[in-house]
Amino acid sequence: MTVTRNVPALPVETVDEALAALRASGMRISGARRLVVEALFAADGPQSAEEIRAAVEGRLPGCDLASVYRNLDTLEELGMVRHVHLGHGPGLYGLVGHGEREYLVCADCQATATVAPAVLDAARDAIRAATGYEASFQHFPIVGRCSACAAHAGHGREDGHAHP
């Protein structure tokens, strides 16, 4: 079982701020590191390492998937990036402080809902009251059934449905 560490967040608002924070932490700004940071800022939300690699492809020869993962690991250790696992796919990486979000995933159709952490405060309160644990849904989502799948459960429908 993997236990996630609580790394202090290092939110940054711009690529230049991120690069300055990396330098202040004693990190070198390689071409690959710069491109990974730029790709994270350009993304609409969390991205897989493969998606980040595709975004930087052709801009820096020799920037392979292993390099992207190494840079993401470094950014995560510094608290600038957080990763989340949504369903059965690869881990996704996003910048800390850019609209902090938590996630819900439908076990039936794999639809993902993104919510502000405050939306799940009542669930956290109930878990704390029942178990004494402080719940966090930043690394792993809450898995359940979306309203469309719940409405069709038990109706013998096997064709699934589409989500916007």
Side-chain angles (χ1 to χ4, degrees):
M1 179 168 118
T2 302
V3 177
T4 58
R5 298 170 295 199
N6 285 329
V7 176
L10 179 61
V12 290
E13 297 299 320
T14 66
V15 170
D16 289 338
E17 272 186 40
L19 298 176
L22 287 166
R23 283 187 195 98
S25 298
M27 306 302 293
R28 191 172 71 82
I29 308 301
S30 65
R33 185 161 292 150
R34 177 183 296 275
L35 289 176
V36 168
V37 168
E38 288 173 358
L40 287 165
F41 273 93
D44 290 336
Q47 301 284 303
S48 70
E50 291 83 2
E51 290 169 322
I52 293 168
R53 169 66 183 102
V56 304
E57 191 168 13
R59 294 177 60 198
L60 181 69
C63 182
D64 60 3
L65 188 57
S67 178
V68 171
Y69 272 113
R70 280 191 303 274
N71 281 294
L72 289 169
D73 286 345
T74 298
L75 295 171
E76 188 172 20
E77 286 174 13
L78 292 173
M80 195 177 297
V81 168
R82 182 172 291 128
H83 79 272
V84 62
H85 295 274
L86 302 179
H88 298 290
L92 303 177
Y93 298 82
L95 293 164
V96 169
H98 282 250
E100 292 299 319
R101 296 288 181 244
E102 294 179 329
Y103 304 91
L104 309 168
V105 174
C106 179
D108 293 346
C109 71
Q110 304 306 305
T112 301
T114 304
V115 298
V119 171
L120 298 175
D121 283 347
R124 267 186 277 283
D125 292 344
I127 291 168
R128 185 182 317 104
T131 67
Y133 277 78
E134 295 290 331
S136 170
F137 310 112
Q138 293 175 342
H139 187 73
F140 292 106
I142 295 176
V143 178
R145 187 177 276 162
C146 71
S147 59
C149 286
H152 295 294
H155 291 225
R157 186 173 166 161
E158 296 180 10
D159 63 337
H161 61 275
H163 287 274

